[in-house]
Amino acid sequence: MMDGLRLLPIVGCLLWMLPLFWQVDVPEGDLVRMSSAILFVFGVWVLLIVVSFVLSRMLGQVPFRDTTLLRETGAAPKAEEPDDGAAG
Amino acid sequence: MASLNVLVAVSLGYVAFLFLIAFWAERAALRRRGGWLRSPVVYTLSLSIYCTAWTFFGAVGFAVRSGMEFVTIYLGPSLVMIAWWWILRRLVRIGKAQRVTSVADLISARYGKSSALASIVTLMAVIGITPYIALQLQSVIQAFEIFAGPGEGAGLNTVWAGFWATVGLALFTVLFGTRTLNAQERHDGVVIAIAVEAVVKLVALLAVGVFVVWGLGGGPAQMMARIDASDIGRWEVDGARWVALTVVAAAAFLCLPRMFQVLVVENHDERHVQIASWAFPLYLMLMSLFVVPIAVMGLELLPPGSNPDLFVLTLPLSQGREGLAMLSFLGGFSSATSMVIVATLALATMVSNHIVMPVFLRARAGGATVSGDVRDVVILSRRLTILGILLLGYIYFRISGGGAALAAMGLISFVGVAQFLPAMLGGIFWRGATRAGALAGLSLGFVIWGYSFFLPSIVPGDSVLAGVFADGPFGIGWLHPQALFGIAGLDPMVHAVTWSLTLNTSAFVLVSLFTFPTPMERLQGAQFVNVFDHSDATQSWSSASATSEDLMIMTQRILGADEAQSLFRKAAREQGHGRALPDPTPSFLLHLERELAASVGAATAHAMVSQLVGRAAVSVDDLMAVADESAQILEYSNQLEAKSAELAQTARQLREANEKLTALSVQKDAFLSQVSHELRTPMTSIRSFSEILRDGADLAPKDLRRYASIIHDDALRLTRLLDDLLDLSVFENGQVSLNMTRGRVADALANAIRTAEASGRRGMTIRQVGFDADLWLTRDHDRLGQVFLNLVTNAQKYCDAEAPLLEISLERAGDGWQVHFTDNGAPIPETAHRLIFEKFARVDQSRGTGAGLGLAICREIMARLGGEISFVPLPDGNRFVVTLPHAQALAAQ
């Protein structure tokens, strides 16, 4: 679940960078049509929003409750994700 | 066509309406009834100030000019929101933990609360945002122009219209934003007004879009066909621009001061970020949904040469839909005003906290205690800043001529603020980032941005400087602003983005690697990077010399009397006493610094408190706090070491115990086998001779007697052996009970000699020397006699001299007495010296009938009596020395 949340932006990035491979140095008729481009870009957008929504719902309030609970009980609040540092 | 007056009236009415909403929201928040004001919906809507007039008007123009490229401006932020778990969550947590008030505050706080860094970031932000503000002014003025009617004569004077629009926006912002001081208390009114405006602009754009697609375009399917047939009907996006724009938009989304304000500062609950992670991309998607259809229909229906930036407005107007056009105008107006309000507010906070306050405090040499009411200064500086920033925007608008495309102007700002990104991300993810690195990266990136992107946008084509942009300064080609290092052919925007961000990041990383952070930086760096480990402890104050009165006076000046008093009262209550002033404990000072930081920024608050507490920014305590971290690691490793040493010791002890046990077991086995051997020999002879006796009825009486006497002898030997074993075990177990009597040593010896001679086998001369000393002892004399007897019989048995002689002498040794038993027999071999006192040790197995327990028993007896027995080899004999316990050895008078 958490991994999905972390991966989603990377997936979105890859999908949205796909248009880089669409051909532009070809005769007018062979170019990707604008309507297809619109459908693709907005399709990815809707997909990301839906997946993000579902993940966010499934995640509930877990990531925040963890830390607040720990803090309230006075225990040393460890970061709930050990690989966070890898983000740097 | 609606007259200009109606338009102005509608605008003013709309503004008044917003003002009322804001006012009412602040009242509600004050009465603690505004829970819904802090809902995730409001948070998400407030993020929509990202969509300014650029989005509302400029996106369509962008689409007309460059096709789908416009959408990258929304893809970047969508990705940032979807990636909330990586960056935004961290930023929000840091913002809360450190009470960050602005992006400049964040960067300065991260790099050791550096005021230099804060003021540089502030300056950069002000310069960077200026084109953006100009963009809003331009769009509003252009919109007015459309309504005022085409043509020069009927049009309004743009100079004055622009000026009045600026003044109006300034007034609005000042009224809205600077009524309260504490930035951390957040501008509930402003936020709710922004949320309302977000709804208005979304509804307006969707309404125009629906009208275009269904009213003019004939439904989605036909619309798609029209799009494909239009001038922008093919995918002709430059890949480099596609990537660069997405990156810049994502960076700007995080770094724009106004975005930081709503994303981090105005955030009430970290959970809202989670909801906004899908809701805000949805908002952006809806905002961009109808951009291409509007652009295509505009191109199709409007006369050539119309400004595509205003299609959203002119398209409904051209179709006679004045109501829709009015709604559209309000949408654009909302976009522009909300952006201007939040952007100038955020910048004003930064300017007053990071430029005005430090200068003001320095100017007043006496510091925070003697200066006047700081609150007035802060508020005044903020109001003046708002005016100043709007004025700058207006000037930029005038200089750039008002003819540029909206998107182009916006991009200049975006690339400018994107320069904060390396310092910001490096600061929250990399502990090695240093202030020098941040300074170097920021400055370099900003200089390149200014040189290759900002300046070309404002230099008129006919000025002297224009030559610089044509051929490079002094004709040096590789310094050409839009082809640095001689690499030409890049799009100017891509050129500026790649060079500024690459060099910025490289300088930041390189300088960070080669400089050493100050203790304060290390401290803050740890706090930022490990924000999820400890969100509550920043470096604390030692309350050396601050008095509560001084602190109170200072706090009143910043927070106001009421709030300061309630803050101090609360702290006093928490400290558990009823006085009005709390004790200046470190935790209270820390709390106070954070409260003040919310008003005047971290660096200033830190400076003010340190002025009163009376120590330099970094003290021994700070160093100790830094050291603490390493100390913890050290302590941990010490603990580990101690544990391992302990374990090693235990292992050693166990090994020793094991060796002892093994040795004991070997000893026991040896003992048992020896005992059995000793027992078996006499037993065998007893058995065989008794069998002869039983079976041999015809034995001669002489043999009979001989055999019986052998059996008797062996039985005696067995008995003796068993007696000895019993003695030994009794002594070894310490169960012996000594019969203490007082008697003379000489008597005990005489008894022993008598007994020995009675059973003596060979004649042996026994000479007694020194026994005329009348030595009395309180000891067990029977046991002592047993030792003497043993030694005498041993000498009798083993002395092989022709004329055996035993000399027994009593001698003084130190405090005590020794009895020496010296014989003239052959010396015991050296190899046997160590063994003679062991059980069953016999020097010569072939001689003697003893079991070899005698000397072992003697040793045990002497140990019980408190003395000892030892062996001294002589060249021509052997000597046993019995050392009498000297405490009891009392020489008689």
Side-chain angles (χ1 to χ4, degrees), chain B residues 690-744:
Chain B
S690 55
E691 272 169 11
I692 295 173
L693 287 181
R694 183 190 63 196
D695 302 333
D698 52 349
L699 279 176
K702 184 180 142 227
D703 288 339
L704 209 65
R705 210 167 26 249
R706 191 162 65 88
Y707 294 158
S709 73
I710 290 176
I711 292 176
H712 181 250
D713 282 351
D714 276 331
L716 278 182
R717 194 166 144 201
L718 271 180
T719 314
R720 217 165 40 237
L721 180 65
L722 289 175
D723 280 348
D724 285 353
L725 278 175
L726 200 62
D727 266 2
L728 197 60
S729 93
V730 162
F731 278 115
E732 280 185 339
N733 289 337
Q735 290 164 343
V736 68
S737 57
L738 296 173
N739 175 26
M740 296 299 204
T741 49
R742 187 175 164 75
R744 287 178 60 206

Side-chain angles (χ1 to χ4, degrees), chain B residues 363-641:
Chain B
R364 302 287 184 112
T369 41
V370 288
S371 61
D373 193 337
V374 182
R375 267 154 60 88
D376 286 346
V377 179
V378 172
I379 291 209
L380 186 67
S381 71
R382 285 190 187 174
R383 288 181 177 155
L384 289 177
T385 312
I386 290 171
L387 291 177
I389 290 167
L390 281 167
L391 194 66
L392 274 181
Y394 179 68
I395 292 170
Y396 185 91
F397 163 63
R398 298 294 314 160
I399 291 179
S400 67
L406 295 180
M409 295 166 77
L411 275 179
I412 295 173
S413 287
F414 268 32
V415 181
V417 293
Q419 305 304 325
F420 300 152
L421 193 72
M424 186 197 252
L425 288 190
I428 63 175
F429 285 115
W430 182 34
R431 284 183 60 174
T434 67
R435 177 170 60 193
L439 267 176
L442 281 171
S443 321
L444 190 60
F446 201 67
V447 166
I448 292 171
W449 166 79
Y451 180 62
S452 64
F453 207 36
F454 180 74
L455 282 182
S457 77
I458 54 168
V459 171
D462 52 354
S463 77
V464 192
L465 282 173
V468 171
F469 297 110
D471 312 315
F474 315 111
I476 304 171
W478 62 274
L479 280 181
H480 188 287
Q482 293 178 341
L484 282 176
F485 308 110
I487 300 166
L490 280 176
D491 178 270
M493 194 276 303
V494 177
H495 175 268
V497 170
T498 47
W499 281 122
S500 62
L501 279 183
T502 314
L503 293 179
N504 178 341
T505 312
S506 318
F508 170 63
V509 172
L510 282 177
V511 176
S512 288
L513 287 178
F514 287 105
T515 51
F516 198 72
T518 62
M520 192 69 161
E521 281 176 71
R522 293 172 69 90
L523 219 61
Q524 290 294 98
Q527 296 262 334
F528 273 57
V529 175
N530 305 327
V531 65
F532 292 107
D533 293 346
H534 40 64
S535 300
D536 20 59
T538 31
Q539 162 265 337
S540 72
W541 292 105
S542 68
S543 54
S545 59
T547 69
S548 300
E549 285 78 10
D550 294 340
L551 290 169
M552 179 73 181
I553 293 166
M554 179 189 72
T555 313
Q556 273 183 343
R557 288 185 176 138
I558 296 171
L559 300 180
D562 292 344
E563 201 163 328
Q565 275 161 19
S566 78
L567 175 74
F568 275 61
R569 252 199 309 278
K570 191 158 154 262
R573 255 203 313 281
E574 274 164 14
Q575 286 181 3
H577 52 73
R579 293 195 298 276
L581 291 175
D583 299 327
T585 60
S587 68
F588 172 66
L589 288 174
L590 187 65
H591 178 64
L592 186 64
E593 188 194 329
R594 287 218 180 124
E595 287 290 332
L596 296 179
S599 290
V600 293
T604 309
H606 190 72
M608 291 173 96
V609 175
S610 52
Q611 258 182 357
L612 286 189
V613 176
R615 65 181 171 88
V618 173
S619 72
V620 177
D621 286 346
D622 294 333
L623 290 172
M624 281 171 66
V626 176
D628 196 39
E629 204 183 329
S630 26
Q632 273 178 10
I633 298 168
L634 258 179
E635 192 187 336
Y636 185 61
S637 86
N638 280 347
Q639 279 174 2
L640 278 179
E641 242 169 57

